[in-house]
Amino acid sequence: MAATAELTLLEKSLGLSKGNKYSAQGERQIPVLQTNNGPSLTGLTTIAAHLVKQANKEYLLGSTAEEKAIVQQWLEYRVTRVDGHSNKDDIRTLLKDLNSYLEDKVYLTGYNFTLADILLYYGLHRFIFMKLRHRWVKEFVQDHTIIIKEMGFRQKFDSNLLNL
């Protein structure tokens, strides 16, 4: 899914009105948001954090200093490790690493749902059916069915497909 489409879905799930116009620049199609009150914002995570603040849902950026750092870490992971990977071996390694990290966690920061969970889910959506064997996906899907519907994902999520 293109980053501009993800931002539009994020806007909707945050309850923001559809007033933002996105464009993409460069070969990698980096999203750009032209704001009303200043310079344009560039980059998926920069724009996503701006939207969260605009929606007054800053808890999605983390509640403690440690949680905020973990959210930032996973947002960076999303754009540096997840985006652009289509090689099966890279994807397999990425998913294996993610499974190991999530072994004792419900969400990426532990027990709190954050922007990192949303954007990583968006980014991994295309790989979800490639045998991601962790309860995080199952719990995310079960706990956030409404958000997932708002995200625009039309596939039926079946735990048998996910091999959970």
Side-chain angles (χ1 to χ4, degrees), residues 97-162:
D97 291 347
L98 183 59
N99 271 340
S100 294
Y101 177 80
L102 289 167
E103 199 167 294
D104 62 345
K105 295 168 186 64
V106 177
Y107 298 109
L108 293 168
T109 61
Y111 294 100
N112 295 316
F113 180 68
T114 65
L115 179 62
D117 294 288
I118 296 169
L119 289 189
L120 193 59
Y121 183 82
Y122 284 161
L124 291 174
H125 182 257
R126 60 194 162 143
F127 308 129
I128 291 292
F129 299 104
M130 293 181 66
K131 300 184 180 183
L132 180 57
R133 299 178 189 273
H134 193 272
R135 68 180 173 5
W136 177 78
V137 174
K138 185 176 181 180
E139 288 180 22
F140 187 95
V141 170
Q142 288 174 347
D143 294 347
H144 303 291
T145 303
I146 293 169
I147 292 172
I148 289 168
K149 286 179 184 174
E150 289 177 358
M151 288 177 180
F153 298 122
R154 304 282 185 241
Q155 284 105 336
K156 178 166 174 39
F157 291 94
D158 182 341
S159 61
N160 293 326
L161 290 174
L162 298 172

Side-chain angles (χ1 to χ4, degrees), residues 31-101:
V32 177
L33 168 64
Q34 181 59 52
T35 62
N36 294 331
N37 305 352
S40 59
L41 301 175
T42 303
L44 176 65
T45 61
T46 300
I47 297 169
H50 170 75
L51 294 175
V52 165
K53 290 175 184 175
Q54 199 175 36
N56 293 319
K57 295 187 179 183
E58 292 190 40
Y59 62 88
L60 289 173
L61 299 174
S63 302
T64 65
E66 180 184 39
E67 198 173 79
K68 288 176 184 184
I70 293 170
V71 169
Q72 187 58 43
Q73 167 191 306
W74 283 104
L75 293 176
E76 288 176 23
Y77 182 89
R78 160 59 204 274
V79 296
T80 60
R81 299 268 306 166
V82 175
D83 291 354
H85 288 280
S86 57
N87 175 313
K88 266 189 171 180
D89 290 333
D90 287 346
I91 294 165
R92 191 171 306 131
T93 301
L94 185 139
L95 295 177
K96 192 180 285 189
D97 291 347
L98 183 59
N99 271 340
S100 294
Y101 177 80

Side-chain angles (χ1 to χ4, degrees), residues 16-35:
L16 294 171
S17 61
K18 298 179 184 179
N20 291 315
K21 296 200 188 287
Y22 302 102
S23 60
Q25 71 180 20
E27 187 176 312
R28 293 186 53 214
Q29 295 294 288
I30 307 296
V32 177
L33 168 64
Q34 181 59 52
T35 62

